[in-house]
Amino acid sequence: MIAHKIVPNISVDCVVFGFDFEKLNVLLVERELKDEKSGEVIIRDHTLAGYHIFEDEDLDSAAGRILKGLTGLDNIFLEQFGAFGQLDRVSSPRDKRWLDYINKGFADRIVTVGYLALIDNTKVTLRLKERNVSWFPVSMVKEMDLAFDHKYLFYEALEALQRKVKVEPIAFELLPDYFTLSQLQKVYEAVLGTSFDKRNFRKKVAQMHYVIALKKKQQGVAHKPAQYYLFSREVYEKTRKGRISFII
Amino acid sequence: MIAHKIVPNISVDCVVFGFDFEKLNVLLVERELKDEKSGEVIIRDHTLAGYHIFEDEDLDSAAGRILKGLTGLDNIFLEQFGAFGQLDRVSSPRDKRWLDYINKGFADRIVTVGYLALIDNTKVTLRLKERNVSWFPVSMVKEMDLAFDHKYLFYEALEALQRKVKVEPIAFELLPDYFTLSQLQKVYEAVLGTSFDKRNFRKKVAQMHYVIALKKKQQGVAHKPAQYYLFSREVYEKTRKGRISFII
DNA sequence: TAACTAGGTGTATTAAGTACACCAACTAAG
DNA sequence: CTTAGTTGGTGTACTTAATACACCTAGTTA
């Protein structure tokens, strides 16, 4: 492993969303600081997944590297949702204390680039517990105190997700390759915090020619088995409507 | 004037759009480098409006400061459209030469935060020529070589503008406080690069209750005088529809 | 074999998008 | 003072999408 040189004042934070067929979850890293002498825990709270960038990597690569480290996955959906450089980003006494202990060499003034990541829960669940990383329901995160300004970044990411999901086919990133229409509906409901009428929802999906029915059906479920569908990016790219209308 | 300490590896670039009732324009700064001995011009091309951030200012403040310097205006519409940290951002020989001469103290690896700015042309036109700054039609910029990766940033900003204008009432930022419906239509057409049917456009505007007819009319024009309208952000905020439908 | 569960379907109404043509009000030129 | 030129302003018919709403189906489990 090559030792990479860190850029001290630029970092990347990832807000990683996952869907467990019930609700939307966020990946948080537990931060724990023990007193050197007594061993007593001084700080225990949560942060987003983030780290400084290296001198020799792009921003996107840095985000990819961080996610790979936490989830073991490559090719995760990743998109910037903003850059954050408030002077008071690291303001609370506990954050300062943390930096005093841990981050000694790093600058006080850090600009962080926020990345929204969407992952298919069924592909992970793996190496999360080795590290102190776990899923938290979005509803719970809203009640938690996160380190630094990460609560703010979380909200910004959530809003970006809600904005984008209405306009781009990114909900599929939260589902496995094959999914049922009920699962698709639940993702939209979980992300947007609403509920849709089943028949109207399916009517809408029927217009999306890039959501394609498979021959497979569910098996071993205690009800009428549902049909599986897949999302074809290829068809999407070809048939996307160049709507030039505006809706404000 | 206080001397501010510069953050060497973080900068802000502004893509400033303006509308002259005909077409969309972008503000570019002429970059000129003369040979120290001969006085011969070695480099002459254009860049976006940008500069490094100061240690003691936020990103938004930095962007605001840069715009204030170029246009004299405060309270300009400003929004991030991305952060750019490619390793090869500064790649061409002329860019390297430029940095050798001018930017001696600065880092090679610079992350820049891109800001989209929209301004009402009628309020500027002022102090632009004192500095080597001027408006270029978007169509012309597409044909120009800009310094660094600024051509790329320009396209990213243009796309962000086109995306946002369809969904948020930002077209008004490009118009004076009072405007006619034809002017409003022309902004949309200039930004999106299309044309709309006049009657359908006006039908749509009629649904926007935050576009309010004034009693004033145009004067001294060689045709039927048009009515003036204004955009009320207040009404917009109150009446914006919480559409939870998705259109993909 | 009955109870349970989620899957799957159609119709009527309303709202919005689209295509399309003519008269009105003002100035400028003759 | 009349005409030409220019942009402003309006309405209708048709098509498409959004919404509201209720019942039968195909499996598993008790």
Side-chain angles (χ1 to χ4, degrees), chain B residues 175-186:
Chain B
L175 289 173
D177 296 347
Y178 304 152
F179 50 86
T180 70
L181 293 184
S182 300
Q183 289 169 346
L184 184 60
Q185 182 173 347
K186 273 194 194 130

Side-chain angles (χ1 to χ4, degrees), chain B residues 26-65:
Chain B
V26 177
L27 215 54
L28 295 180
V29 182
E30 190 176 86
R31 173 173 81 157
E32 191 174 81
L33 180 67
K34 287 180 185 151
D35 187 273
E36 286 171 16
K37 292 173 193 167
S38 68
E40 178 201 2
V41 173
I42 305 172
I43 296 176
R44 187 185 345 244
D45 56 10
H46 294 86
T47 72
L48 296 172
Y51 197 63
H52 293 268
I53 67 169
F54 296 147
E55 285 282 5
D56 58 352
E57 72 184 346
D58 293 341
L59 293 171
D60 289 2
S61 319
R65 164 176 57 81

